[in-house]
Amino acid sequence: MGRLDDLRDNIGEYFQSAELLFKQGLNNAAFMMYFKTLVAMADYILWRDLKVLPDNHSERFRLLKPRYPDLYNILSYYFPYYRDTYTKRVDDRILVAIRNDVIRFKEKIE
């Protein structure tokens, strides 16, 4: 199995996990997995198109911003909420919003 296949499988696994957690009402865990799904999609696109995998979020954002502004804007919007999930509860509206964005972007890369 190649790197691109591994990244695609990660997207599916993270998304499935997020959906299960969402249905169970485990909102913070679901949000974290939806965010990981977005990150995995970003890494998939960066590897597919540029053969580059970022080492951290800063590098990921730097690579995405000029080339994939839609995905950059979504990731950068949710990043503070992702960091906050360690100490705060995620708002239901933000959870539903990230879920919808993940579904929308997931359809674009399938």
Side-chain angles (χ1 to χ4, degrees):
M1 202 185 247
R3 173 77 47 97
L4 204 56
D5 293 325
D6 288 344
L7 291 166
R8 186 182 3 255
D9 288 348
N10 285 348
I11 293 167
E13 187 174 317
Y14 297 154
F15 181 71
Q16 274 188 309
S17 296
E19 290 286 273
L20 288 171
L21 293 163
F22 179 78
K23 290 173 185 162
Q24 292 175 2
L26 300 171
N27 291 0
N28 271 34
F31 183 90
M32 291 172 74
M33 292 311 295
Y34 285 127
F35 189 82
K36 283 185 70 100
T37 304
L38 284 174
V39 169
M41 287 190 282
D43 289 353
Y44 174 88
I45 291 167
L46 290 170
W47 181 255
R48 181 193 68 195
D49 297 354
L50 306 174
K51 297 294 185 254
V52 172
L53 282 178
D55 290 328
N56 54 54
H57 288 301
S58 296
E59 185 179 348
R60 184 174 292 107
F61 290 141
R62 183 183 56 75
L63 291 166
L64 290 171
K65 190 174 184 176
R67 294 171 183 89
Y68 308 98
D70 289 345
L71 187 51
Y72 166 81
N73 288 334
I74 287 175
L75 268 175
S76 63
Y77 175 76
Y78 291 118
F79 188 62
Y81 295 104
Y82 171 74
R83 286 192 324 226
D84 284 350
T85 60
Y86 292 100
T87 59
K88 298 177 185 172
R89 303 300 300 163
V90 69
D91 182 271
D92 290 345
R93 291 170 296 163
I94 296 298
L95 178 60
V96 170
I98 195 172
R99 182 177 186 262
N100 291 337
D101 284 333
V102 167
I103 290 168
R104 185 169 51 89
F105 268 95
K106 193 171 177 297
E107 290 171 352
K108 288 183 177 184
I109 64 168
E110 290 181 334

